[in-house]
Amino acid sequence: MKDSVIEQPDLRPADEVMRLRRMGSMFPSRLSFLRTLTRRLIADGSRVSRPHWQIDGDGFGTAVYTVTLGGHRYSLFAITQPLDPEMRTDRVIAEAWDAAFVLYDGVPDAAEIARLSSQAPLQEAGRFTQKDLCLSRANKSVRLFEQIVGALRAGSALPMGMIHQIGYLMRTTAVYGNGKFGIADRRVVAQRPGLEGPFMAEMLTVWLIRAFTHDLIEHMGGAPLPARVKRQLGIGNSTGLGMAPFLVSHPLLLHSWMICRETALARVRAAQIDEGVAQRLIALARRAAQHLLEWNIPDPMHQARIVTLRQEWARLTQGLTEAGLCQEGAVDALLERSRAGSFDLQELAVSWLIEPFGDVVDGLTECMANPFDPVLQPQMSCDELRGLLQEHCAFATEIDFTDPQASAQFWYVSEAKLEPRIGQRQSEPGADRESPLDIARRIQELAKDLTGHSGPIWQFLAQLPEHRYAVQRVQALAQNPYAEIRDNLVDADMAPIDMLRCKLSFFGASKFDPKSQLWTRITLAQGAPLAQDLADGTARDDWWLPVSAP
């Protein structure tokens, strides 16, 4: 990039960005948490060791992987056991899995390995301690697992078609952190170097599970996998409704994520592209096109979106040249052209344009953690609150809630699994136990009841305390405009899959494979550096939208 002093453009307005359809079109970027983790592992010169391995020829037993990060040692404990095929399911109601995992604070001794061996397979029903940082479980991609093991044992060609199509050996059905089921609260590691960012412990767990799956299949097959093949084998994940309400329950954290991404885009718009960056953008555009060709899923509606995106991407990037990209205003011109296409095209363009500018945007990842919640400002005047409603909340105040469709759904927590669920208000019981995710409706009711009131807001709340929650959220928007999803989350047409994709894109997920509007499969860490790459000193932070190797 050429040295220049250019005023940073304004960020895209929250009323444009924080819409479910756009959020449901987001792609991973270099700001995603897995990318941040691998950069830190590389910068720290981290190395992975395997102090414990007791796996039999059928692939059953226990293993421990240890890595040093930020001056602390962490270990992944893994246990695999026989599983009746009838019990293999991605659903949260499952009670048994092919493998279970615990991210451990330190290195477990024999006594701790024995404890983890008895408790990890129980998952939610187990008993855990403050040494246990994350809890996870996974099932094999049985077809691919068997094909690779057979090929390695026979010394025959690997099933590269299946490897490219599936992209992982195991698929996690949960990666729990932050105090769930008795494991350590996030505060235990939140200030530690390397784990201070959002979901860093969970991302470390996923990356180490990937290393275990590679070793496991090599052990069972009796031969090594080529490194290029292992890089293509990430970790699958099945994610459902349990993840969606997180974005609503942590509004200030959501703001931090989104404003960092929008600031990154603004910084890139302000930067002048030089020949090196131009060459990189052209190469990345080709990679993205190949990634889209390799992304195929069963769902016809979402596959049609992918096909459309392939065509739009080809048109957007057709005729790219170094000279054209180095012209002033080239980034803005590309962004403007993308606006003629789908939200998928627009958000893919954002991730693409950010990618070559690590020196400009990577520091923003230090601002993505946010432990705070909205706090009531009781002295704010009713007039000032009305101003915030007018400035930020048209998405809520303009909805016609007399239409049953506007409140057709409701969120609740299931008694059996303590997981979020969605009910149909007109036909299913439980609306009397509704979770407070009907933000738009609550804001509209606040706006109506605020009419005619003056003085400080505490006086209004003394009369109508039921509006306290909505007041806090509206007040937060003054300094945190990206804190609120600006759509109706109980509308008949609301699709939770949009919230899932937004959050998963920040994790670094790719190849979204929706199974309904309620849950999706994804791939994590595909293309990421291997433990061996760290040991060899060849690890690189260059795996945005990975593609298959020849």
Side-chain angles (χ1 to χ4, degrees):
M1 290 171 295
K2 298 175 181 176
D3 291 333
S4 58
V5 179
I6 303 176
E7 184 177 351
Q8 177 176 298
D10 291 337
L11 307 189
R12 293 189 296 178
D15 205 47
E16 173 186 332
V17 173
M18 302 304 296
R19 296 289 181 170
L20 278 175
R21 185 62 187 83
R22 183 179 293 278
M23 296 169 71
S25 301
M26 290 174 59
F27 284 83
S29 75
R30 65 178 305 115
L31 301 180
S32 297
F33 307 146
L34 262 169
R35 292 285 299 281
T36 302
L37 172 70
T38 53
R39 282 197 297 272
R40 183 57 186 258
L41 290 168
I42 294 169
D44 273 18
S46 298
R47 298 291 184 269
V48 178
S49 62
R50 198 177 72 186
H52 173 83
W53 181 268
Q54 291 186 0
I55 305 286
D56 65 23
D58 294 323
F60 303 127
T62 58
V64 173
Y65 289 73
T66 298
V67 63
T68 300
L69 177 63
H72 293 264
R73 289 196 297 176
Y74 305 100
S75 297
L76 178 79
F77 169 82
I79 182 168
T80 57
Q81 296 177 317
L83 179 65
D84 187 326
E86 295 181 356
M87 299 184 69
R88 185 176 289 110
T89 174
D90 285 349
R91 297 189 64 192
V92 74
I93 60 171
E95 295 182 352
W97 305 269
D98 284 313
F101 307 94
V102 174
L103 184 67
Y104 185 85
D105 191 0
V107 182
D109 58 18
E112 285 289 77
I113 288 173
R115 175 182 68 83
L116 294 169
S117 297
S118 67
Q119 298 303 309
L122 303 177
Q123 294 286 293
E124 293 97 325
R127 295 294 180 265
F128 299 97
T129 76
Q130 292 297 288
K131 297 290 286 184
D132 307 323
L133 303 179
C134 290
L135 186 64
S136 185
R137 66 280 190 110
N139 287 327
K140 296 174 184 174
S141 177
V142 176
R143 221 166 24 105
L144 181 57
F145 221 95
E146 291 177 347
Q147 289 281 331
I148 294 179
V149 168
L152 291 175
R153 287 176 176 172
S156 57
L158 292 169
M160 295 307 298
M162 288 180 65
I163 289 171
H164 297 160
Q165 177 189 2
I166 297 173
Y168 52 80
L169 297 170
M170 282 191 178
R171 183 172 58 246
T172 62
T173 63
V175 183
Y176 294 123
N178 195 24
K180 291 206 70 163
F181 312 119
I183 62 177
D185 291 336
R186 171 171 161 73
R187 59 179 174 76
V188 172
V189 297
Q191 302 304 316
R192 293 187 189 177
L195 294 188
E196 65 268 52
F199 291 95
M200 284 296 103
E202 290 86 342
M203 297 302 100
L204 181 59
T205 303
V206 168
W207 186 76
L208 289 171
I209 290 174
R210 175 177 177 246
F212 168 72
T213 66
H214 295 164
D215 286 1
L216 180 64
I217 205 160
E218 290 180 333
H219 175 76
M220 294 174 65
L225 279 174
R228 63 177 177 81
V229 174
K230 288 197 283 190
R231 290 190 194 95
Q232 292 180 51
L233 291 169
I235 285 293
N237 175 265
S238 294
T239 296
L241 277 178
M243 182 178 283
F246 182 93
L247 298 182
V248 185
S249 303
H250 299 80
L252 302 191
L253 183 61
L254 175 61
H255 169 81
S256 293
W257 296 0
M258 298 300 284
I259 199 170
C260 284
R261 187 171 183 268
E262 294 305 310
T263 300
L265 177 61
R267 288 184 179 181
V268 169
R269 290 174 59 202
Q272 181 67 37
I273 296 175
D274 63 19
E275 293 178 2
V277 171
Q279 292 170 2
R280 185 80 180 122
L281 282 170
I282 292 171
L284 289 168
R286 295 189 185 118
R287 184 195 296 180
Q290 182 63 31
H291 181 89
L292 295 177
L293 285 174
E294 295 177 5
W295 180 17
N296 294 284
I297 57 179
D299 181 83
M301 182 183 73
H302 285 88
Q303 180 63 25
R305 279 175 59 179
I306 296 170
V307 171
T308 297
L309 179 56
R310 291 170 184 165
Q311 298 165 350
E312 292 178 327
W313 186 251
R315 288 193 293 269
L316 179 68
T317 59
Q318 184 177 16
L320 284 179
T321 65
E322 293 177 29
L325 287 170
C326 290
Q327 291 181 357
E328 187 172 341
V331 171
D332 276 338
L334 284 165
L335 288 170
E336 185 58 34
R337 284 172 53 196
S338 76
R339 293 177 71 86
S342 64
F343 288 138
D344 293 318
L345 177 67
Q346 295 171 41
E347 295 310 307
L348 176 56
V350 170
S351 290
W352 168 55
L353 291 167
I354 289 173
E355 182 62 25
F357 290 89
D359 56 337
V360 173
V361 306
D362 286 354
L364 291 167
T365 60
E366 297 178 9
C367 303
M368 296 184 89
N370 191 331
F372 301 107
D373 293 315
V375 175
L376 182 69
Q377 303 168 44
Q379 296 302 325
M380 177 181 284
S381 70
C382 289
D383 286 341
E384 188 176 353
L385 187 65
R386 267 188 288 270
L388 292 176
L389 286 163
Q390 292 171 2
E391 181 179 357
H392 295 287
C393 298
F395 77 93
T397 57
E398 294 176 359
I399 297 171
D400 179 11
F401 277 106
T402 64
D403 181 354
Q405 293 295 99
S407 56
Q409 304 189 79
F410 68 93
W411 295 80
Y412 66 98
V413 176
S414 72
E415 185 175 28
K417 279 287 183 177
L418 299 178
E419 290 278 348
R421 295 286 182 269
I422 287 182
Q424 300 303 311
R425 197 178 301 274
Q426 305 304 319
S427 59
E428 296 179 12
D432 58 322
R433 300 187 180 185
E434 183 172 5
S435 300
L437 273 71
D438 56 334
I439 305 300
R441 187 172 60 173
R442 289 168 179 260
I443 289 177
Q444 185 175 116
E445 291 172 353
L446 165 65
K448 289 178 180 178
D449 286 351
L450 194 62
T451 302
H453 285 267
S454 60
I457 198 67
W458 68 262
Q459 292 179 341
F460 168 77
L461 291 176
Q463 299 176 48
L464 298 167
E466 64 269 23
H467 291 307
R468 180 187 179 99
Y469 181 64
V471 168
Q472 288 181 192
R473 296 191 75 108
V474 174
Q475 288 177 331
L477 291 171
Q479 300 298 323
N480 306 276
Y482 299 95
E484 210 65 73
I485 298 173
R486 302 196 178 203
D487 273 307
N488 178 13
L489 303 185
V490 294
D491 187 87
D493 294 330
M494 185 276 302
I497 195 73
D498 291 331
M499 285 187 274
L500 298 181
R501 178 155 169 180
C502 173
K503 186 178 179 186
L504 290 166
S505 73
F506 278 105
F507 284 8
S510 61
K511 295 188 176 173
F512 297 89
D513 180 9
K515 298 304 179 183
S516 73
Q517 296 287 56
L518 305 179
W519 73 284
T520 185
R521 287 178 179 167
I522 56 166
T523 306
L524 291 164
Q526 188 175 40
L530 307 171
Q532 186 61 48
D533 297 331
L534 293 177
D536 295 343
T538 59
R540 298 290 182 268
D541 177 39
D542 181 20
W543 51 285
W544 178 71
L545 297 190
V547 296
S548 59

